[in-house]
Amino acid sequence: MGDLMDKRTLAPLLPPAGCPGTYKHIVMDPPWENASVQRSGRYQQLPARQLLKLPVARLLHPDGTLFLWITNRERLWRFVRTELLPCWGLRHAATWWWLKLDGQGLKPVTPLESAHRHPFEALLLLRPTASQPPSNGASDVPRPEAPPLSAAAAADDD
């Protein structure tokens, strides 16, 4: 992960100083710190605060969208809401939910109501704050909770 934060690695991606960002869409799936991953050692993790160093405002086009995958950990949502979005000059536009299904694609990998392992993750759609003034502030990211899908799934059982 050290290379990602090295300015020499990012330099070829950056537009000339004073020019708007080039990329209309940026997809990020950070290797968030996670106790389960830490124990297994499956991949290297990145401390959330390292993301503050990424020059997103210089990379993202003024009318662009940054898609950010985030785990269900409340601490990470709070960090994104209170620190990351203001630092990057982004606002929350929408949240899409990914429901993880079993191998047959028939049911969630864990119960929707599970207190520890949720069968869903969120994809935050983030826009530059200058592209359209937000109604509730630049850091209006909802709390992580079961996606609206849980109510729809319950209704289907009737």
Side-chain angles (χ1 to χ4, degrees):
M1 287 302 139
D3 291 341
L4 175 64
M5 297 305 157
D6 187 335
K7 291 186 191 292
R8 293 170 296 183
T9 303
L10 289 172
L13 302 174
L14 295 171
C19 294
T22 323
Y23 302 96
K24 281 286 269 187
H25 306 288
I26 297 175
V27 178
M28 293 181 70
D29 188 2
W32 300 107
E33 291 180 299
N34 172 312
S36 175
V37 171
Q38 177 73 30
R39 282 190 300 272
S40 72
R42 288 188 304 244
Y43 57 82
Q44 189 177 3
Q45 300 172 80
L46 181 70
R49 299 192 90 43
Q50 291 292 314
L51 294 172
L52 295 168
K53 297 178 182 178
L54 287 174
V56 169
R58 288 195 54 206
L59 292 166
L60 189 62
H61 188 277
D63 290 324
T65 304
L66 188 138
F67 300 86
L68 179 68
W69 283 103
I70 185 170
T71 65
N72 295 305
R73 197 164 181 198
E74 172 63 31
R75 190 181 100 214
L76 291 175
W77 285 73
R78 188 172 38 256
F79 167 75
V80 168
R81 192 170 44 244
T82 62
E83 295 184 55
L84 196 60
L85 294 188
C87 175
W88 285 353
L90 300 177
R91 65 178 174 81
H92 176 255
T95 301
W96 291 347
W97 294 97
W98 169 43
L99 179 62
K100 302 174 192 178
L101 300 176
D102 65 11
Q104 283 98 29
L106 300 175
K107 61 182 182 175
V109 293
T110 58
L112 286 170
E113 303 78 24
S114 175
H116 299 288
R117 288 199 175 261
H118 299 296
F120 52 84
E121 285 189 24
L123 179 65
L124 303 179
L125 283 68
L126 308 172
R127 303 288 316 267
T129 53
S131 66
Q132 179 182 353
S135 58
N136 295 324
S139 58
D140 187 27
V141 177
R143 291 175 46 94
E145 52 192 51
L149 176 59
S150 61
D156 287 344
D157 292 337
D158 291 342

